[in-house]
Amino acid sequence: MREFARSVFGRTARRRWIHLILGGALAMPYVLVGAVVVGPLTGSRQVFSELPLQLASFALGLPLAALTALLFPLARPLEAAAARALCGLAPDALDQGPARTPAARGRTAAWFTLHLGFGGIVAGMSLAVPPLALVLIVLPVPAVLGDARLGLPEVLGRPWALPLCPPAGAALLLALAGCAAGCGTLLARWAPALLGPTPEDRLAAAEARAADLAVRNRLARELHDSVGHALSAVTLQAGAARRVLDSDPEFVREALAAIEDTTRRTVGELDAVLGLLRDGDTPGTAPAPTLAADLDGLVRRTRAGGQRVTATVTTDPAALPPLVSREAYRIVQEGLSNALRHAAGEPVAVRIGCAGGRLEITVENPLGAAGVSRPGGGHGLRGIADRVRLLGGECRAGASGGTWRLHVRLPWKGPA
């Protein structure tokens, strides 16, 4: 009984009732247009004084409402907003965009017709039933007091009729509430099918989300590789300069110059990446670093911090495609960053060559004193694996015999 009362008189039922009243209000202009047509056809000047003519005007107005929804694509977002707010539907159950395709417009027209049809019926009942029910409920009072001025129908003069009037009035109110709750439930059940996104819309939205996620992941990798390497290099360079501040001023000057160069380049790269995140903004002016143009500077800045780096290049980096050159630079950069973080001061060997139509990159260094990576690592290697996978290459990283080895093979022409 409690569930029935909640379904008929609960908060959701009341909000759906308001939604139906709104549909009745939207139906009134179409009913008036229908009355303009029905009146001359029937020769009646008072269409709204006769129930059959009212129903005819209402029936003639519904096709006009459907035509409105077909011609105006914005009818779908407006109806979806009202249904989402008043029918208790999930935010993602209804589409927020205008109806562009014929199928979407047809479904919107069907919904608009149902909304105005059910709304007109419930709104009309809400205007007519409560006064009649109230009269039936209070009708026995003047009869008991002997007031015969009401002009009651003859049937109500019988002894058994008046006691039945209050229950009949209450039953009318209950029937009105039940009809409104039923119509509201039906509209809420049909709304996702008529106003919700089509399978094509869901697929397009999923593809857009996937593309946005891919861009975000790419920018996150760029920030991690660029800023992470810069912080590792600057920390190592500053520490080395502090240790020899009094004994080797020349090394300190080189370290400070490397810190200045590293931070300047990193700020430029950071500006370029953040420019991509600003809506309507243009990317930063700093070009993306490549293996051909920036490998020497990367090795030089890493050496300035006291890290012993040996770079062996047996192929021409300038012959690499731009995409492969950019990603190869980031892979080498992250390999050196790992060495700076986990094997500071140890010799690092970088080998870049070509074999079997593939670019091969190898970064090797002895394991640090702890022999393992510090907590919080792992994002750099994951970023390398993502880059290699997108290019259709192969990546292996791990420790063997006291040496950490990163080996990457990339297709010379990039992804298929």
Side-chain angles (χ1 to χ4, degrees), residues 55-374:
L55 295 178
S57 302
F58 181 65
L60 187 60
L62 290 181
L64 299 177
L67 182 62
T68 301
L70 284 173
L71 296 179
F72 295 97
L74 290 178
R76 183 167 72 167
L78 295 176
E79 282 293 304
R84 191 182 298 109
L86 297 176
C87 291
L89 300 174
D92 57 347
L94 306 180
D95 199 353
Q96 300 180 3
R100 300 297 185 188
T101 64
R105 293 190 181 190
R107 291 187 296 116
T108 303
W111 163 265
F112 196 56
T113 305
L114 289 172
H115 183 200
L116 269 60
F118 284 173
I121 294 173
V122 173
M125 293 176 61
S126 300
L127 289 175
V129 171
L132 176 60
L134 183 61
V135 169
L136 291 176
I137 292 174
V138 303
L139 190 58
V141 177
V144 171
L145 296 178
D147 188 355
R149 292 176 298 173
L150 294 176
L152 300 177
E154 183 179 353
V155 66
L156 295 179
R158 300 181 180 181
W160 53 265
L162 288 180
L164 294 179
C165 288
L172 285 177
L173 293 177
L174 183 61
L176 172 61
C179 181
C183 292
T185 301
L186 288 176
L187 286 181
R189 183 174 300 176
W190 293 335
L194 297 177
L195 295 178
T198 63
E200 292 78 10
D201 295 334
R202 295 182 186 276
L203 180 59
E207 291 177 347
R209 287 193 297 268
D212 180 69
L213 182 60
V215 172
R216 291 176 181 272
N217 288 338
R218 179 175 63 84
L219 296 180
R221 288 196 302 269
E222 293 292 329
L223 286 176
H224 175 273
D225 293 347
S226 177
V227 178
H229 174 79
L231 292 177
S232 299
V234 167
T235 301
L236 186 63
Q237 291 160 354
R242 178 181 56 81
R243 287 192 296 269
V244 298
L245 180 61
D246 298 326
S247 60
D248 193 350
E250 182 63 27
F251 178 82
V252 173
R253 282 193 291 270
E254 292 179 0
L256 292 177
I259 291 174
E260 180 184 5
D261 184 41
T262 300
T263 52
R264 183 185 296 110
R265 290 180 59 86
T266 304
V267 169
E269 294 178 16
L270 183 62
D271 179 68
V273 174
L274 294 180
L276 297 175
L277 294 174
R278 302 187 185 101
D279 292 336
D281 201 359
T282 56
T285 57
T290 61
L291 198 65
D294 301 278
L295 177 62
D296 292 339
L298 175 64
V299 173
R300 183 180 65 254
R301 291 189 299 272
T302 306
R303 288 171 177 166
Q307 194 81 12
R308 291 172 292 171
V309 181
T310 302
T312 303
V313 182
T314 60
T315 187
D316 184 12
L320 292 172
L323 176 61
V324 177
S325 185
R326 290 196 301 266
E327 298 302 316
Y329 174 86
R330 291 302 189 190
I331 291 171
V332 174
Q333 183 185 54
E334 183 56 35
L336 293 176
S337 298
N338 285 336
L340 289 174
R341 285 193 294 266
H342 307 310
E346 301 289 344
V348 182
V350 178
R351 295 190 299 273
I352 302 174
C354 181
R358 288 177 174 265
L359 178 68
E360 295 195 355
I361 301 172
T362 303
V363 181
E364 291 182 341
N365 60 270
L367 293 175
V372 294
S373 299
R374 293 195 298 269

